[in-house]
């Protein structure tokens, strides 16, 4: 068995484990007297939280979130969460709300599903059927005690109710806590998204279900840190391929995803990330199709800010232009005047995924979308060697935030976002999901389908082995690679 302690070394003794259906999650109050969970400031009791002090109300929310996850998970070993409310990095307008993570990771313990693979402590204990290190808690969690005070997210405040009746300026602690506990339970990769480095050179169970469409490989197929770091930048190409999450995505995510499909002769079809336009006709299931042509002005640029010099070659085409110099609506209007069927605006600086095309112009009658520079450059290169066919529309089957195979995208971004990349879903997911990198105000307190997919990711990595609810093998002998749904 290998063991690797992450960051915090905290020693304390826990009560003996209790075997039962569900799991027991115990909150260990790490605050000093008078602060955090022990803050004696009187608090107005809420209908759903009768705590009389700030400290009591905070602890009640922690206990609620622990009980929620305890009811969903299944482990014979008590899960200990060392928690505190402390000042965290903050300014008047932005700050850290809180964070949580596993304290320790283990591999090659009795009961491990994949060999030579890191598991977070709570899951390792569950699979082993015993506490692999009773002296260390499973999860550490630290939340910001300063929210709403001068200099820290002024105007906002924590909401301590055990419901979703928070006001517009209130941050629902229960929702934030359900999110953070999920990280500590295994919704977290221990491989650095920024450097691609893995602890002691060994990948984790999260990486088993990480598939990169651009490279056509699972994470374990990369052989260097540099390859893994490059993959983490592949926005809208890195998907979670766990079978339970994939199946639940049908009900959890809305169907009807905007798409741009490019087909270069000899190179096959490829869907690229787009930011749809906020003006012009909406994309529909009657996709606009056409051959791609680069729009050129008299100066030889493809900015599309002046009438096109090659207008005759653009009639009936999907016209490619570059971002910059003039408004998006100007570019689209010029292409429309040349007889274009649709417009693709390529970003002029690296990064992605691409945001939408802003602007308003009631005279725009053709659809348009923005692509990242990465994809714009590839498209231009393909045009130099041959013909490229484009299809821009709405896929009535594809889920919003997932690929064509209903595999939800992980949050790959260029540049990488420390603490946010990979270990979250892509924020595109809709309806909004608990494990997106930002907490959306419309989230529920659900962590299971049909509302939410968090429990299914945990199921994919090895929770619920003794509750095979639906006939899908909990542990397929191998990861499904880019499965094609049967139609
Ligand atoms: Zn998070």
């Amino acid at each position: 068995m290998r063991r690797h302690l992450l960051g915090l070394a905290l020693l304390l003794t826990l009560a003996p484990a209790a075997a039962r259906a569900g799991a027991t999650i115990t909150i260990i109050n790490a605050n000093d007297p008078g602060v955090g969970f022990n803050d004696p400031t009187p608090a107005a009791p809420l209908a759903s939280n009768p705590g009389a002090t700030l400290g009591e109300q905070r602890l009640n929310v922690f206990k609620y979130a622990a009980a929620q996850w305890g009811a969903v998970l299944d482990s014979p070993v008590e899960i200990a969460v060392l928690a505190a409310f402390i000042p965290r990095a903050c300014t008047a307008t932005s700050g850290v709300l809180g964070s949580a993570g596993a304290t320790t990771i283990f591999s090659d313990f009795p009961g491990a599903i994949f060999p030579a693979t890191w598991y977070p402590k709570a899951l390792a204990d569950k699979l082993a059927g015993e506490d692999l290190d009773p002296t260390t808690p499973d999860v550490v969690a630290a939340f910001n005690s300063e929210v709403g005070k001068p200099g820290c997210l002024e105007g906002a405040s924590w909401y301590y109710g055990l419901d979703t009746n928070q006001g517009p300026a209130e941050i629902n602690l229960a929702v934030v806590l359900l999110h953070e506990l999920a990280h500590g339970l295994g919704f977290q990769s221990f491989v650095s998204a920024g450097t691609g480095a893995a602890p002691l050179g060994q990948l984790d169970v999260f990486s088993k279900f990480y598939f990169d469409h651009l490279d056509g490989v699972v994470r374990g197929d990369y052989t260097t840190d540099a390859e893994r770091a490059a993959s983490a930048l592949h926005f809208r190409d890195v998907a979670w391929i766990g079978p339970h999450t994939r199946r639940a995505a049908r009900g959890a995510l809305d169907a009807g995803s905007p798409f741009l499909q490019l087909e270069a002769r000899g190179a096959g079809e490829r869907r690229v990330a787009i930011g749809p336009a906020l003006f012009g006709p909406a994309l529909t299931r009657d996709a606009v199709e056409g051959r791609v042509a680069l729009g050129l002005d008299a100066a030889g640029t493809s900015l599309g800010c002046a009438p096109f010099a090659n207008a005759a070659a653009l009639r009936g085409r999907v016209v490619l232009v570059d971002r910059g110099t003039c408004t998006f609506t100007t570019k689209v209007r010029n292409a429309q005047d040349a007889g274009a069927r649709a417009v693709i605006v390529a970003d002029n600086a690296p990064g992605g995924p691409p945001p939408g095309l802003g602007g308003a112009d009631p005279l725009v009658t053709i659809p348009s979308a923005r692509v990242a520079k990465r994809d714009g450059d590839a498209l231009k290169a393909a045009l130099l060697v041959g013909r490229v066919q484009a299809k821009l529309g709405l896929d009535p089957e594809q889920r919003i935030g997932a690929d064509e195979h209903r595999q939800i995208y992980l949050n790959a971004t260029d540049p990488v976002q420390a603490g946010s990349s990979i270990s979250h879903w892509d924020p595109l997911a809709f309806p909004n999901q608990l494990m997106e990198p930002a907490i959306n105000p419309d989230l529920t307190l659900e962590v299971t389908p049909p509302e939410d997919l968090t429990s299914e990711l945990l199921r994919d990595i090895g929770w619920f082995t003794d509750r095979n609810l639906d006939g899908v093998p909990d542990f397929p002998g191998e990861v499904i690679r880019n499965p094609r749904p049967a139609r």
Side-chain angles (χ1 to χ4, degrees):
M1 181 173 83
R2 298 178 94 187
R3 175 180 187 278
H4 183 65
L5 195 64
L6 299 161
L8 289 148
L10 300 152
L11 300 178
L12 67 163
T13 306
L14 305 180
R20 51 179 293 178
T24 300
I25 301 180
T26 306
I27 302 293
I28 302 166
N29 176 353
N31 272 129
D32 290 331
V35 298
F37 291 123
N38 306 317
D39 191 323
T41 307
L46 299 161
S48 57
N49 186 340
T53 68
L54 210 49
E56 280 175 24
Q57 289 200 351
R58 287 168 169 169
L59 202 53
N60 284 342
V61 183
F62 270 65
K63 285 177 178 168
Y64 166 84
Q68 287 289 93
W69 271 121
V72 168
L73 299 177
D74 201 356
S75 177
V77 184
E78 182 174 12
I79 299 164
V81 178
L82 187 72
F85 246 89
I86 55 173
R88 301 290 308 263
C90 213
T91 70
T93 53
S94 70
V96 173
L97 293 176
S99 62
T103 58
T104 322
I105 50 180
F106 291 87
S107 78
D108 301 292
F109 48 87
I113 298 150
F114 296 105
T117 301
W118 293 119
Y119 285 83
K121 183 170 183 296
L123 178 54
D125 287 353
K126 174 247 170 12
L127 294 171
E130 61 171 324
D131 199 328
L132 296 169
D133 177 6
T135 62
T136 306
D138 299 274
V139 176
V140 282
F143 285 74
N144 198 333
S145 56
E146 306 304 292
V147 171
K149 293 184 185 172
C152 182
L153 291 165
E154 294 171 9
S157 61
W158 284 117
Y159 175 71
Y160 297 124
L162 308 181
D163 50 37
T164 52
N165 298 330
Q166 71 270 17
E170 291 180 317
I171 304 159
N172 192 311
L173 178 63
V175 171
V176 174
L177 200 39
L178 289 169
H179 172 111
E180 295 299 338
L181 284 179
H183 283 315
L185 295 166
F187 201 118
Q188 175 186 24
S189 179
F190 305 104
V191 176
S192 164
T195 68
L200 306 181
Q202 180 173 283
L203 295 190
D204 52 23
V205 67
F206 191 96
S207 298
K208 290 282 179 190
F209 303 94
Y210 172 121
F211 185 87
D212 185 315
H213 283 291
L214 200 58
D215 293 332
V217 298
V218 290
R219 208 180 202 180
D221 289 339
Y222 294 118
T223 53
T224 65
D225 291 359
E227 287 173 345
R228 286 190 291 269
S231 170
L233 306 177
H234 292 167
F235 47 86
R236 307 269 157 86
D237 274 316
V238 177
W240 181 263
I241 56 174
H244 295 98
T245 305
R246 175 170 173 265
R247 197 174 37 165
R250 185 194 291 277
L253 300 176
D254 281 357
S257 188
F259 75 94
L260 171 63
Q261 187 164 295
L262 300 173
E263 186 174 11
R265 185 162 283 174
E269 297 173 353
R270 175 171 154 68
R271 288 197 175 183
V272 300
I274 56 167
L278 301 177
F279 53 85
L283 300 178
T284 70
R285 54 192 302 169
D286 292 321
V288 176
E289 285 191 70
R291 195 173 152 185
V292 181
L294 188 63
L296 295 168
D297 58 26
T301 81
S302 45
L303 285 166
C305 295
F308 290 99
N310 63 339
L314 304 182
R315 178 155 298 277
R317 302 287 194 237
V318 174
V319 172
L320 174 64
V321 296
D322 286 311
R323 182 185 182 208
T325 307
C326 61
T327 63
F328 296 130
T329 53
T330 302
K331 297 169 192 286
V332 175
R333 280 287 296 280
N334 282 332
Q336 179 176 307
D337 291 346
R341 201 169 277 186
V343 176
I344 300 169
V345 180
D347 245 325
N348 55 357
L357 293 172
D361 185 342
L363 297 179
V364 170
T365 58
I366 58 173
S368 53
R370 178 165 169 176
V371 300
K373 184 170 188 299
R374 170 192 87 181
D375 294 319
D377 289 348
L379 180 50
K380 284 174 198 168
L383 287 173
L384 289 178
V385 296
R387 184 184 171 123
V388 180
Q389 202 69 16
K391 204 170 170 182
L392 178 64
L394 200 70
D395 184 333
E397 294 294 321
Q398 186 176 357
R399 265 51 191 178
I400 300 174
D403 64 21
E404 309 97 284
H405 316 298
R406 292 199 316 277
Q407 298 168 140
I408 185 168
Y409 294 124
L410 293 173
N411 187 39
T413 63
D414 181 8
V416 78
Q417 295 171 357
S420 173
S421 284
I422 303 303
S423 293
H424 293 93
W425 303 132
D426 189 308
L428 183 64
F430 189 83
N432 286 320
Q433 295 288 303
L434 179 65
M435 297 312 288
E436 292 177 34
I439 297 293
N440 288 290
D442 60 344
L443 287 173
T444 67
L445 294 168
E446 300 294 335
V447 298
T448 57
E451 290 85 2
D452 194 74
L453 294 169
T454 313
S455 62
E456 302 312 284
L457 179 142
L458 296 179
R459 185 188 294 262
D460 286 328
I461 63 170
W463 289 95
F464 312 104
T465 49
D466 39 10
R467 279 203 307 172
N468 184 350
L469 299 177
D470 38 36
V472 169
D474 270 338
F475 300 109
E478 57 182 358
V479 167
I480 299 172
R481 286 168 186 257
N482 200 15
R484 307 268 164 187
R487 292 194 186 271

